[in-house]
Amino acid sequence: KKRVTKEEWEALGLEKRTDYENLRRVFERISGSKRHFDAKDLEAVFKTVGYAFAKKTEYGMNEAEDIIWEHDEECDGCIEWEVFVTAYIRSRHDATGKEPRRLYYLIEFMICDKDGCGTMSEDECAEVLFNRFGPSALASEETKHLFQAAGAKSDNLTYHQFQHILDHFEGKNKTDDKSSKPKKR
């Protein structure tokens, strides 16, 4: 494989070569040898990580199809490399909580699950929490309790457990600014 240049990863909006390499590895695991992936590819990945995706969402499609729909800029039922990277960056830097998170969570998990066995370590999860929510996410007793409540062992956090922990922190960090809510008349 040729080594990616700084210009290539910066053109995609990535900060480091390792970001590019991690995202490329995950994209190739999802897509196989194709230049894109579709809902069937996501369904296979969900099965690999032991996640029981919703068979029908509020939009009448399964969860994998719904995730594709959230990011499918070409409306062709697929996610291409550039869209994949853009979706990751947008979710990673989203402070509003309005960007779709499901694909982002899966990517973060797969970045840590380097061997593809469907688990990650507590340390790897802690690194994700630190990068996303800062040092306070690791300093609290609540975080330790979350790991225990999720049934996590130090070396085998499942995707479902990881998702549960991230959901907790996403919900905790949403602002409750009542002044921005419409007032009742």
mmCIF file of all heavy atoms in Angstrom, residues 52-87:
data_model
loop_
_atom_site.group_PDB
_atom_site.id
_atom_site.type_symbol
_atom_site.label_atom_id
_atom_site.label_comp_id
_atom_site.label_asym_id
_atom_site.label_seq_id
_atom_site.Cartn_x
_atom_site.Cartn_y
_atom_site.Cartn_z
ATOM 1 N N ALA A 52 -27.936 -5.888 17.601
ATOM 2 C CA ALA A 52 -29.245 -6.220 17.022
ATOM 3 C C ALA A 52 -29.885 -4.923 16.538
ATOM 4 O O ALA A 52 -30.534 -4.213 17.305
ATOM 5 C CB ALA A 52 -30.122 -6.909 18.056
ATOM 6 N N PHE A 53 -29.677 -4.606 15.275
ATOM 7 C CA PHE A 53 -30.228 -3.370 14.729
ATOM 8 C C PHE A 53 -31.743 -3.470 14.582
ATOM 9 O O PHE A 53 -32.303 -4.554 14.446
ATOM 10 C CB PHE A 53 -29.578 -3.031 13.384
ATOM 11 C CG PHE A 53 -29.800 -4.055 12.301
ATOM 12 C CD1 PHE A 53 -30.876 -3.939 11.429
ATOM 13 C CD2 PHE A 53 -28.935 -5.125 12.149
ATOM 14 C CE1 PHE A 53 -31.086 -4.868 10.434
ATOM 15 C CE2 PHE A 53 -29.133 -6.067 11.159
ATOM 16 C CZ PHE A 53 -30.214 -5.935 10.302
ATOM 17 N N ALA A 54 -32.392 -2.311 14.638
ATOM 18 C CA ALA A 54 -33.850 -2.267 14.532
ATOM 19 C C ALA A 54 -34.288 -2.735 13.151
ATOM 20 O O ALA A 54 -33.765 -2.276 12.137
ATOM 21 C CB ALA A 54 -34.343 -0.846 14.788
ATOM 22 N N LYS A 55 -35.232 -3.646 13.128
ATOM 23 C CA LYS A 55 -35.737 -4.171 11.852
ATOM 24 C C LYS A 55 -36.641 -3.160 11.154
ATOM 25 O O LYS A 55 -36.802 -3.197 9.946
ATOM 26 C CB LYS A 55 -36.510 -5.474 12.061
ATOM 27 C CG LYS A 55 -35.668 -6.592 12.664
ATOM 28 C CD LYS A 55 -34.595 -7.065 11.730
ATOM 29 C CE LYS A 55 -33.844 -8.222 12.357
ATOM 30 N NZ LYS A 55 -32.520 -8.392 11.824
ATOM 31 N N LYS A 56 -37.218 -2.251 11.952
ATOM 32 C CA LYS A 56 -38.073 -1.222 11.362
ATOM 33 C C LYS A 56 -37.998 0.035 12.231
ATOM 34 O O LYS A 56 -38.291 -0.004 13.408
ATOM 35 C CB LYS A 56 -39.510 -1.714 11.259
ATOM 36 C CG LYS A 56 -40.395 -0.821 10.432
ATOM 37 C CD LYS A 56 -41.734 -1.479 10.165
ATOM 38 C CE LYS A 56 -42.524 -0.646 9.181
ATOM 39 N NZ LYS A 56 -43.799 -1.265 8.842
ATOM 40 N N THR A 57 -37.606 1.134 11.611
ATOM 41 C CA THR A 57 -37.533 2.407 12.314
ATOM 42 C C THR A 57 -38.837 3.176 12.101
ATOM 43 O O THR A 57 -39.725 2.718 11.373
ATOM 44 C CB THR A 57 -36.358 3.272 11.792
ATOM 45 O OG1 THR A 57 -36.636 3.654 10.444
ATOM 46 C CG2 THR A 57 -35.038 2.528 11.874
ATOM 47 N N GLU A 58 -38.914 4.344 12.668
ATOM 48 C CA GLU A 58 -40.099 5.175 12.502
ATOM 49 C C GLU A 58 -40.312 5.587 11.050
ATOM 50 O O GLU A 58 -41.393 6.046 10.675
ATOM 51 C CB GLU A 58 -40.008 6.418 13.390
ATOM 52 C CG GLU A 58 -38.826 7.323 13.026
ATOM 53 C CD GLU A 58 -38.616 8.439 14.023
ATOM 54 O OE1 GLU A 58 -39.457 9.352 14.083
ATOM 55 O OE2 GLU A 58 -37.614 8.361 14.747
ATOM 56 N N TYR A 59 -39.302 5.408 10.207
ATOM 57 C CA TYR A 59 -39.407 5.761 8.793
ATOM 58 C C TYR A 59 -39.744 4.565 7.906
ATOM 59 O O TYR A 59 -39.727 4.668 6.686
ATOM 60 C CB TYR A 59 -38.108 6.425 8.315
ATOM 61 C CG TYR A 59 -37.774 7.651 9.122
ATOM 62 C CD1 TYR A 59 -36.716 7.641 10.021
ATOM 63 C CD2 TYR A 59 -38.542 8.800 9.015
ATOM 64 C CE1 TYR A 59 -36.420 8.767 10.787
ATOM 65 C CE2 TYR A 59 -38.259 9.927 9.780
ATOM 66 C CZ TYR A 59 -37.204 9.894 10.656
ATOM 67 O OH TYR A 59 -36.919 10.997 11.418
ATOM 68 N N GLY A 60 -40.011 3.414 8.536
ATOM 69 C CA GLY A 60 -40.443 2.241 7.790
ATOM 70 C C GLY A 60 -39.326 1.432 7.148
ATOM 71 O O GLY A 60 -39.581 0.569 6.323
ATOM 72 N N MET A 61 -38.098 1.707 7.516
ATOM 73 C CA MET A 61 -36.958 0.952 6.991
ATOM 74 C C MET A 61 -36.176 0.383 8.158
ATOM 75 O O MET A 61 -36.413 0.767 9.298
ATOM 76 C CB MET A 61 -36.086 1.849 6.115
ATOM 77 C CG MET A 61 -35.565 3.095 6.810
ATOM 78 S SD MET A 61 -34.635 4.215 5.730
ATOM 79 C CE MET A 61 -35.928 5.242 5.078
ATOM 80 N N ASN A 62 -35.253 -0.538 7.866
ATOM 81 C CA ASN A 62 -34.452 -1.042 8.984
ATOM 82 C C ASN A 62 -33.383 -0.010 9.351
ATOM 83 O O ASN A 62 -33.163 0.959 8.632
ATOM 84 C CB ASN A 62 -33.888 -2.445 8.701
ATOM 85 C CG ASN A 62 -32.721 -2.458 7.744
ATOM 86 O OD1 ASN A 62 -31.875 -1.576 7.726
ATOM 87 N ND2 ASN A 62 -32.669 -3.503 6.927
ATOM 88 N N GLU A 63 -32.753 -0.219 10.496
ATOM 89 C CA GLU A 63 -31.813 0.776 11.019
ATOM 90 C C GLU A 63 -30.618 1.002 10.099
ATOM 91 O O GLU A 63 -30.157 2.137 9.948
ATOM 92 C CB GLU A 63 -31.335 0.353 12.411
ATOM 93 C CG GLU A 63 -30.552 1.408 13.124
ATOM 94 C CD GLU A 63 -30.251 1.064 14.569
ATOM 95 O OE1 GLU A 63 -30.671 -0.008 15.052
ATOM 96 O OE2 GLU A 63 -29.581 1.878 15.230
ATOM 97 N N ALA A 64 -30.129 -0.038 9.454
ATOM 98 C CA ALA A 64 -28.999 0.118 8.530
ATOM 99 C C ALA A 64 -29.400 0.998 7.343
ATOM 100 O O ALA A 64 -28.642 1.893 6.939
ATOM 101 C CB ALA A 64 -28.502 -1.246 8.054
ATOM 102 N N GLU A 65 -30.578 0.778 6.803
ATOM 103 C CA GLU A 65 -31.071 1.608 5.699
ATOM 104 C C GLU A 65 -31.251 3.052 6.159
ATOM 105 O O GLU A 65 -30.954 3.993 5.421
ATOM 106 C CB GLU A 65 -32.399 1.063 5.175
ATOM 107 C CG GLU A 65 -32.277 -0.286 4.512
ATOM 108 C CD GLU A 65 -33.626 -0.990 4.318
ATOM 109 O OE1 GLU A 65 -34.586 -0.697 5.045
ATOM 110 O OE2 GLU A 65 -33.692 -1.851 3.409
ATOM 111 N N ASP A 66 -31.734 3.219 7.369
ATOM 112 C CA ASP A 66 -31.937 4.542 7.950
ATOM 113 C C ASP A 66 -30.604 5.292 8.094
ATOM 114 O O ASP A 66 -30.518 6.484 7.785
ATOM 115 C CB ASP A 66 -32.623 4.378 9.310
ATOM 116 C CG ASP A 66 -33.304 5.644 9.802
ATOM 117 O OD1 ASP A 66 -33.667 6.505 8.971
ATOM 118 O OD2 ASP A 66 -33.485 5.766 11.026
ATOM 119 N N ILE A 67 -29.573 4.595 8.531
ATOM 120 C CA ILE A 67 -28.248 5.214 8.674
ATOM 121 C C ILE A 67 -27.718 5.644 7.314
ATOM 122 O O ILE A 67 -27.178 6.742 7.166
ATOM 123 C CB ILE A 67 -27.263 4.257 9.386
ATOM 124 C CG1 ILE A 67 -27.674 4.102 10.852
ATOM 125 C CG2 ILE A 67 -25.825 4.764 9.269
ATOM 126 C CD1 ILE A 67 -26.923 3.013 11.592
ATOM 127 N N ILE A 68 -27.872 4.787 6.320
ATOM 128 C CA ILE A 68 -27.439 5.152 4.962
ATOM 129 C C ILE A 68 -28.189 6.406 4.518
ATOM 130 O O ILE A 68 -27.599 7.368 4.015
ATOM 131 C CB ILE A 68 -27.668 3.993 3.968
ATOM 132 C CG1 ILE A 68 -26.815 2.769 4.331
ATOM 133 C CG2 ILE A 68 -27.404 4.449 2.528
ATOM 134 C CD1 ILE A 68 -25.324 2.942 4.177
ATOM 135 N N TRP A 69 -29.499 6.414 4.724
ATOM 136 C CA TRP A 69 -30.330 7.550 4.317
ATOM 137 C C TRP A 69 -29.857 8.854 4.959
ATOM 138 O O TRP A 69 -29.862 9.909 4.316
ATOM 139 C CB TRP A 69 -31.792 7.265 4.669
ATOM 140 C CG TRP A 69 -32.706 8.393 4.361
ATOM 141 C CD1 TRP A 69 -33.280 8.698 3.154
ATOM 142 C CD2 TRP A 69 -33.141 9.407 5.277
ATOM 143 N NE1 TRP A 69 -34.042 9.829 3.265
ATOM 144 C CE2 TRP A 69 -33.978 10.292 4.569
ATOM 145 C CE3 TRP A 69 -32.909 9.644 6.626
ATOM 146 C CZ2 TRP A 69 -34.578 11.388 5.160
ATOM 147 C CZ3 TRP A 69 -33.508 10.742 7.215
ATOM 148 C CH2 TRP A 69 -34.337 11.595 6.483
ATOM 149 N N GLU A 70 -29.422 8.795 6.232
ATOM 150 C CA GLU A 70 -28.968 9.998 6.934
ATOM 151 C C GLU A 70 -27.779 10.668 6.247
ATOM 152 O O GLU A 70 -27.600 11.880 6.352
ATOM 153 C CB GLU A 70 -28.559 9.668 8.369
ATOM 154 C CG GLU A 70 -29.688 9.333 9.284
ATOM 155 C CD GLU A 70 -29.237 8.890 10.665
ATOM 156 O OE1 GLU A 70 -28.100 8.398 10.828
ATOM 157 O OE2 GLU A 70 -30.049 9.021 11.596
ATOM 158 N N HIS A 71 -26.957 9.880 5.552
ATOM 159 C CA HIS A 71 -25.698 10.400 5.013
ATOM 160 C C HIS A 71 -25.597 10.328 3.492
ATOM 161 O O HIS A 71 -24.623 10.814 2.924
ATOM 162 C CB HIS A 71 -24.513 9.637 5.614
ATOM 163 C CG HIS A 71 -24.465 9.720 7.101
ATOM 164 N ND1 HIS A 71 -24.063 10.852 7.770
ATOM 165 C CD2 HIS A 71 -24.802 8.825 8.066
ATOM 166 C CE1 HIS A 71 -24.138 10.645 9.075
ATOM 167 N NE2 HIS A 71 -24.587 9.425 9.277
ATOM 168 N N ASP A 72 -26.560 9.741 2.828
ATOM 169 C CA ASP A 72 -26.508 9.477 1.390
ATOM 170 C C ASP A 72 -26.743 10.741 0.575
ATOM 171 O O ASP A 72 -27.866 11.060 0.211
ATOM 172 C CB ASP A 72 -27.543 8.404 1.042
ATOM 173 C CG ASP A 72 -27.506 8.001 -0.419
ATOM 174 O OD1 ASP A 72 -26.568 8.412 -1.143
ATOM 175 O OD2 ASP A 72 -28.431 7.285 -0.839
ATOM 176 N N GLU A 73 -25.676 11.452 0.263
ATOM 177 C CA GLU A 73 -25.786 12.713 -0.461
ATOM 178 C C GLU A 73 -26.130 12.518 -1.927
ATOM 179 O O GLU A 73 -26.678 13.412 -2.565
ATOM 180 C CB GLU A 73 -24.494 13.506 -0.320
ATOM 181 C CG GLU A 73 -24.265 13.965 1.111
ATOM 182 C CD GLU A 73 -22.999 14.761 1.297
ATOM 183 O OE1 GLU A 73 -22.308 15.049 0.304
ATOM 184 O OE2 GLU A 73 -22.702 15.094 2.459
ATOM 185 N N GLU A 74 -25.817 11.378 -2.488
ATOM 186 C CA GLU A 74 -26.097 11.103 -3.901
ATOM 187 C C GLU A 74 -27.467 10.459 -4.110
ATOM 188 O O GLU A 74 -27.878 10.246 -5.238
ATOM 189 C CB GLU A 74 -25.007 10.185 -4.478
ATOM 190 C CG GLU A 74 -23.598 10.735 -4.372
ATOM 191 C CD GLU A 74 -23.396 11.963 -5.234
ATOM 192 O OE1 GLU A 74 -23.953 12.016 -6.332
ATOM 193 O OE2 GLU A 74 -22.678 12.876 -4.783
ATOM 194 N N CYS A 75 -28.131 10.105 -3.009
ATOM 195 C CA CYS A 75 -29.432 9.415 -3.064
ATOM 196 C C CYS A 75 -29.370 8.140 -3.903
ATOM 197 O O CYS A 75 -30.288 7.822 -4.671
ATOM 198 C CB CYS A 75 -30.522 10.348 -3.581
ATOM 199 S SG CYS A 75 -30.824 11.745 -2.500
ATOM 200 N N ASP A 76 -28.253 7.411 -3.745
ATOM 201 C CA ASP A 76 -28.086 6.164 -4.497
ATOM 202 C C ASP A 76 -28.049 4.939 -3.589
ATOM 203 O O ASP A 76 -27.742 3.835 -4.031
ATOM 204 C CB ASP A 76 -26.823 6.224 -5.360
ATOM 205 C CG ASP A 76 -25.544 6.453 -4.552
ATOM 206 O OD1 ASP A 76 -25.630 6.573 -3.303
ATOM 207 O OD2 ASP A 76 -24.465 6.526 -5.163
ATOM 208 N N GLY A 77 -28.363 5.131 -2.305
ATOM 209 C CA GLY A 77 -28.396 4.016 -1.370
ATOM 210 C C GLY A 77 -27.026 3.576 -0.881
ATOM 211 O O GLY A 77 -26.899 2.496 -0.302
ATOM 212 N N CYS A 78 -26.017 4.408 -1.100
ATOM 213 C CA CYS A 78 -24.644 4.057 -0.737
ATOM 214 C C CYS A 78 -23.944 5.227 -0.069
ATOM 215 O O CYS A 78 -24.324 6.375 -0.245
ATOM 216 C CB CYS A 78 -23.839 3.690 -1.982
ATOM 217 S SG CYS A 78 -24.496 2.309 -2.918
ATOM 218 N N ILE A 79 -22.897 4.894 0.669
ATOM 219 C CA ILE A 79 -22.020 5.914 1.238
ATOM 220 C C ILE A 79 -20.629 5.709 0.656
ATOM 221 O O ILE A 79 -20.045 4.631 0.778
ATOM 222 C CB ILE A 79 -21.976 5.841 2.779
ATOM 223 C CG1 ILE A 79 -23.361 6.151 3.351
ATOM 224 C CG2 ILE A 79 -20.927 6.801 3.333
ATOM 225 C CD1 ILE A 79 -23.451 6.077 4.852
ATOM 226 N N GLU A 80 -20.129 6.749 0.001
ATOM 227 C CA GLU A 80 -18.806 6.724 -0.601
ATOM 228 C C GLU A 80 -17.782 7.227 0.415
ATOM 229 O O GLU A 80 -18.131 7.810 1.430
ATOM 230 C CB GLU A 80 -18.772 7.614 -1.862
ATOM 231 C CG GLU A 80 -19.669 7.154 -2.995
ATOM 232 C CD GLU A 80 -21.160 7.486 -2.798
ATOM 233 O OE1 GLU A 80 -21.483 8.303 -1.917
ATOM 234 O OE2 GLU A 80 -21.984 6.902 -3.513
ATOM 235 N N TRP A 81 -16.509 7.013 0.107
ATOM 236 C CA TRP A 81 -15.403 7.356 0.997
ATOM 237 C C TRP A 81 -15.464 8.810 1.485
ATOM 238 O O TRP A 81 -15.387 9.078 2.682
ATOM 239 C CB TRP A 81 -14.071 7.057 0.299
ATOM 240 C CG TRP A 81 -12.868 7.663 0.952
ATOM 241 C CD1 TRP A 81 -12.056 8.616 0.432
ATOM 242 C CD2 TRP A 81 -12.324 7.355 2.250
ATOM 243 N NE1 TRP A 81 -11.046 8.928 1.321
ATOM 244 C CE2 TRP A 81 -11.196 8.152 2.442
ATOM 245 C CE3 TRP A 81 -12.692 6.488 3.266
ATOM 246 C CZ2 TRP A 81 -10.425 8.127 3.597
ATOM 247 C CZ3 TRP A 81 -11.923 6.456 4.426
ATOM 248 C CH2 TRP A 81 -10.810 7.266 4.575
ATOM 249 N N GLU A 82 -15.599 9.769 0.569
ATOM 250 C CA GLU A 82 -15.575 11.175 0.958
ATOM 251 C C GLU A 82 -16.752 11.523 1.881
ATOM 252 O O GLU A 82 -16.601 12.285 2.833
ATOM 253 C CB GLU A 82 -15.590 12.082 -0.280
ATOM 254 C CG GLU A 82 -14.311 12.038 -1.091
ATOM 255 C CD GLU A 82 -14.203 10.819 -2.008
ATOM 256 O OE1 GLU A 82 -15.209 10.088 -2.201
ATOM 257 O OE2 GLU A 82 -13.091 10.582 -2.509
ATOM 258 N N VAL A 83 -17.916 10.969 1.610
ATOM 259 C CA VAL A 83 -19.096 11.201 2.441
ATOM 260 C C VAL A 83 -18.892 10.582 3.825
ATOM 261 O O VAL A 83 -19.248 11.170 4.847
ATOM 262 C CB VAL A 83 -20.367 10.645 1.761
ATOM 263 C CG1 VAL A 83 -21.570 10.711 2.679
ATOM 264 C CG2 VAL A 83 -20.635 11.383 0.456
ATOM 265 N N PHE A 84 -18.297 9.407 3.844
ATOM 266 C CA PHE A 84 -17.974 8.711 5.085
ATOM 267 C C PHE A 84 -17.080 9.577 5.972
ATOM 268 O O PHE A 84 -17.358 9.781 7.157
ATOM 269 C CB PHE A 84 -17.281 7.390 4.715
ATOM 270 C CG PHE A 84 -16.792 6.562 5.855
ATOM 271 C CD1 PHE A 84 -17.666 5.764 6.584
ATOM 272 C CD2 PHE A 84 -15.438 6.524 6.168
ATOM 273 C CE1 PHE A 84 -17.198 4.955 7.610
ATOM 274 C CE2 PHE A 84 -14.966 5.719 7.200
ATOM 275 C CZ PHE A 84 -15.855 4.935 7.916
ATOM 276 N N VAL A 85 -16.018 10.123 5.392
ATOM 277 C CA VAL A 85 -15.079 10.965 6.141
ATOM 278 C C VAL A 85 -15.774 12.236 6.610
ATOM 279 O O VAL A 85 -15.635 12.636 7.776
ATOM 280 C CB VAL A 85 -13.823 11.298 5.292
ATOM 281 C CG1 VAL A 85 -12.937 12.311 6.002
ATOM 282 C CG2 VAL A 85 -13.041 10.030 4.973
ATOM 283 N N THR A 86 -16.530 12.866 5.728
ATOM 284 C CA THR A 86 -17.244 14.092 6.090
ATOM 285 C C THR A 86 -18.222 13.845 7.234
ATOM 286 O O THR A 86 -18.304 14.641 8.178
ATOM 287 C CB THR A 86 -17.982 14.671 4.866
ATOM 288 O OG1 THR A 86 -17.024 14.954 3.841
ATOM 289 C CG2 THR A 86 -18.737 15.938 5.218
ATOM 290 N N ALA A 87 -18.961 12.750 7.171
ATOM 291 C CA ALA A 87 -19.921 12.416 8.234
ATOM 292 C C ALA A 87 -19.198 12.230 9.564
ATOM 293 O O ALA A 87 -19.668 12.705 10.607
ATOM 294 C CB ALA A 87 -20.693 11.152 7.865
#
